[in-house]
Amino acid sequence: MKSKNTIIVTGGAGYIGSHTIIELLETTGFNVVSIDNFSNSSAKTFERIEKITGRKITNYEVDLCSKNNVEKIFEIEKNIAGVIHFAAYKSVGESVLNPYKYYHNNISSLLNVLECCLKSNIPNFIFSSSCSVYGNISQLPVKEDTPFGKAESPYAYTKQAGEEIIKDYTTAFNQLQAIALRYFNPVGAHISGLIGESPINKANNLVPIITNTAIGKIEQMTVFGNDYPTRDGTCIRDYIHVTDIAAAHIKAMMYLINSQNKSNYSIFNLGTGTGVSVLEAISAFEKISGQKLKYTIGSKRPGDVIAIYSDTAKSENELGWKPKFTLEEMMETAWKWELEQINPIPTS
Ligand code: WQD
């Protein structure tokens, strides 16, 4: 029998998926197969991954909510060592306005992929979770054993539910082991400037909005609230470079493959451990870009938590993972990617 040397990445053309594919190809011997229906991404991303890595990616353009179609992929693809499940909707604000979209997509796709893992006897599963599972929390930094807080948005609730579902699967089926990685706020772009956050849909996360404003796509940005109980009144987040997040997935997959895990289901925070306010993020961007950003103070955004940042001890000690990029480098690479949109580097 051939050794299991393929990793299935769902959402491979997405923001974190695409950066993780690059890390997988550049730092491991695995083949990568992606499943992405481009609902919030572009097929062009694969051309760019090819340009960076010199490797062609097989992608199945399939909606993960369609169980039959997903099953077909898992029947075709053999020798799968593990699945990294990124594909999901991720906008906090949109989920408050359109809960069905989030509950339907994020939960049914997860169930379909888990069922396929069981059917195909795939032992290793990694899930994109989020620090939003902690809710509004006063005890900072947050540790992995902090209980879930009240979900502040349907998006956050899909991540809490997703983790519970995976935990139940790993309890019921001993052949499956899993890790939930709780991302704090992934930002920045690949150092090549060739890939970054998708330009397909309207930006709604802070850093793309900052760079969109600086380039003039957005006339003026809004800071959502400045009377929070924080040092400057704006919300605090733990911004982390997307390439650091990508590298953590390789560590997590190897942790499972090398049986370093103490139980069938583990959780790790992926953050830097440093809280940064919205105004501090704006100021870091202004410093590296030399641009003065046009912004106004607006009302609070529904679903926002006040402040959150990560306790990094567990991911450092057990996964052996430590983020490398600084806030300035996060802003620099995000800005390079924004500039690349107006003056693209040819891919062939
Ligand atoms: C950051 C801060 C806004 C836009 C993200 C992801 C989510 C999850 C958790 C996982 C907030 C403020 C934003 C703007 C602003 N992580 N802001 N003006 O809500 O923390 O959620 O992290 O993977 O998937 O979406 O991130 O970037 O939207 O907001 O003032 O125009 O910036 O209020 O305080 P958020 P964000």
Side-chain angles (χ1 to χ4, degrees):
M1 205 177 91
K2 271 179 75 181
S3 69
K4 294 190 169 192
N5 66 348
T6 296
I7 303 286
I8 290 198
V9 172
T10 71
Y15 179 41
I16 305 175
S18 57
H19 288 80
T20 302
I21 289 179
I22 293 172
E23 287 297 301
L24 277 164
L25 295 177
E26 288 187 337
T27 66
T28 76
F30 289 117
N31 293 324
V32 174
V33 168
S34 163
I35 308 174
D36 196 312
N37 66 348
F38 306 123
S39 67
N40 192 20
S41 60
S42 159
K44 275 205 165 56
T45 302
F46 291 123
E47 287 170 24
R48 285 159 172 248
I49 293 177
E50 196 182 332
K51 167 117 182 144
I52 294 165
T53 64
R55 303 266 293 274
K56 233 185 164 52
I57 306 298
T58 301
N59 180 65
Y60 292 91
E61 198 175 331
V62 157
D63 181 351
L64 291 164
C65 294
S66 159
K67 194 172 179 199
N68 284 345
N69 290 342
V70 183
E71 278 174 350
K72 280 184 205 144
I73 301 170
F74 280 77
E75 279 158 21
I76 298 166
E77 290 299 332
K78 305 274 183 250
N79 306 314
I80 301 165
V83 171
I84 309 182
H85 180 51
F86 291 104
Y89 293 132
K90 58 150 197 164
S91 163
V92 172
E94 185 189 42
S95 79
V96 175
L97 300 173
N98 190 354
Y100 173 80
K101 180 174 174 181
Y102 280 71
Y103 289 129
H104 172 67
N105 181 70
N106 291 7
I107 301 298
S108 58
S109 59
L110 170 64
L111 288 170
N112 290 342
V113 176
L114 283 171
E115 284 296 306
C116 287
C117 285
L118 289 180
K119 220 167 147 188
S120 302
N121 233 342
I122 298 167
N124 304 310
F125 186 85
I126 296 181
F127 178 60
S128 295
S129 189
S130 158
C131 63
S132 61
V133 299
Y134 295 114
N136 259 314
I137 184 141
S138 48
Q139 193 65 38
L140 291 171
V142 271
K143 282 191 166 62
E144 287 83 346
D145 57 8
T146 305
F148 286 165
K150 178 187 165 295
E152 290 295 316
S153 65
Y155 162 78
Y157 194 59
T158 66
K159 293 300 174 187
Q160 291 183 341
E163 288 197 12
E164 290 297 324
I165 289 167
I166 295 164
K167 193 162 66 180
D168 289 346
Y169 267 75
T170 57
T171 304
F173 308 103
N174 208 26
Q175 78 262 31
L176 187 69
Q177 46 179 3
I179 288 180
L181 295 174
R182 291 179 178 162
Y183 311 153
F184 281 66
N185 285 57
V187 298
H190 192 259
I191 47 165
S192 64
L194 281 171
I195 61 163
E197 178 103 65
S198 163
I200 296 295
N201 290 346
K202 211 174 119 243
N204 49 44
N205 291 116
L206 180 65
V207 174
I209 285 178
I210 289 178
T211 58
N212 279 193
T213 308
I215 207 89
K217 283 185 199 158
I218 297 173
E219 207 189 312
Q220 175 176 258
M221 65 167 286
T222 305
V223 171
F224 296 138
N226 71 345
D227 58 353
Y228 283 102
T230 61
R231 51 185 176 261
D232 62 17
T234 64
C235 290
I236 288 180
R237 297 287 183 275
D238 185 340
Y239 298 96
I240 168 134
H241 196 277
V242 63
T243 298
D244 279 327
I245 293 264
H249 289 76
I250 316 307
K251 294 272 189 194
M253 187 55 82
M254 296 323 292
Y255 180 87
L256 290 179
I257 289 174
N258 297 331
S259 304
Q260 288 164 276
N261 47 323
K262 297 183 188 100
S263 77
N264 263 6
Y265 176 65
S266 319
I267 299 160
F268 293 99
N269 282 345
L270 298 185
T272 63
T274 304
V276 171
S277 75
V278 176
L279 293 179
E280 287 163 355
I282 289 175
S283 149
F285 174 79
E286 289 181 333
K287 208 163 138 208
I288 64 94
S289 65
Q291 306 273 321
K292 193 89 200 114
L293 214 62
K294 283 193 205 153
Y295 68 87
T296 176
I297 306 292
S299 49
K300 289 177 176 157
R301 184 175 66 174
D304 266 344
V305 299
I306 301 163
I308 191 156
Y309 50 93
S310 170
D311 185 295
T312 58
K314 188 177 178 202
S315 45
E316 237 178 273
N317 298 337
E318 285 187 37
L319 274 190
W321 171 82
K322 220 178 155 162
K324 297 190 178 109
F325 288 80
T326 63
L327 182 64
E328 286 67 33
E329 289 166 329
M330 298 177 208
M331 293 299 177
E332 257 164 31
T333 53
W335 185 223
K336 186 172 177 183
W337 166 239
E338 184 68 67
L339 294 169
E340 150 72 19
Q341 315 297 300
I342 41 168
N343 202 2
I345 304 164
T347 49
S348 52

